[in-house]
Structure formats: C-alpha cells, structure tokens
Amino acid sequence: MKTKFKTRIKELRARHDLTQEQLADKLGVRRETIGHVENGKYNLSLLLAYKIARALESSIEEVFIFEEDN
C-alpha cells in the first residue's frame, strides 16, 4: 500500500495573502522548498509540516490530505 499526500498550502497562503517567499521566510526555509512541498515533490518532516500548519493558522490535517492506494 502506497501513501501519497496533497496539500492546501497554496490555497491557505492566498487566504493569508502570503507569497511562497514570505511563507519560506517565516519558516526559515528556501522558497523552492515551499514550492516543492506544494507540488508534492518533497517528503517533508513532521516538524516542518507542523510549522507550516501553524504559520497558516491551521491544523496539519487541514493543510495535508493523505491518500492510500490499495
């Protein structure tokens, strides 16, 4: 069974009027990291997921949607 995830980061950033660069600065990461996470191309740590959720005033479950392939 394979697990993949989608994110709502782009949608939530827009709600908070944040660019990728601004969110990256808040988190102490590069803008490219945010872009890769948004596109599902980066397997982020739980700590970074938590920080992203906090920065977007959301829970991890609201930001990241996990799906399992059977």
Side-chain angles (χ1 to χ4, degrees):
M1 181 174 351
K2 185 177 178 182
T3 302
K4 58 184 176 179
F5 71 93
K6 294 191 270 184
T7 76
R8 295 179 57 220
I9 296 172
K10 188 173 184 175
E11 171 191 340
L12 295 168
R13 275 193 309 100
R15 194 176 292 173
H16 291 280
D17 198 30
L18 289 171
T19 64
Q20 285 183 347
E21 186 80 34
Q22 290 167 324
L23 180 58
D25 288 346
K26 280 182 138 187
L27 301 171
V29 299
R30 295 174 51 214
R31 183 206 53 80
E32 292 83 2
T33 301
I34 299 302
H36 290 311
V37 172
E38 283 183 2
N39 294 315
K41 296 180 181 178
Y42 184 79
N43 194 7
L44 68 162
S45 69
L46 182 57
L47 180 58
L48 182 54
Y50 175 77
K51 288 179 178 181
I52 290 170
R54 291 290 305 249
L56 297 173
E57 299 175 7
S58 301
S59 68
I60 289 175
E61 292 85 0
E62 291 172 314
V63 178
F64 301 97
I65 297 100
F66 292 88
E67 298 175 342
E68 292 182 0
D69 288 338
N70 292 324

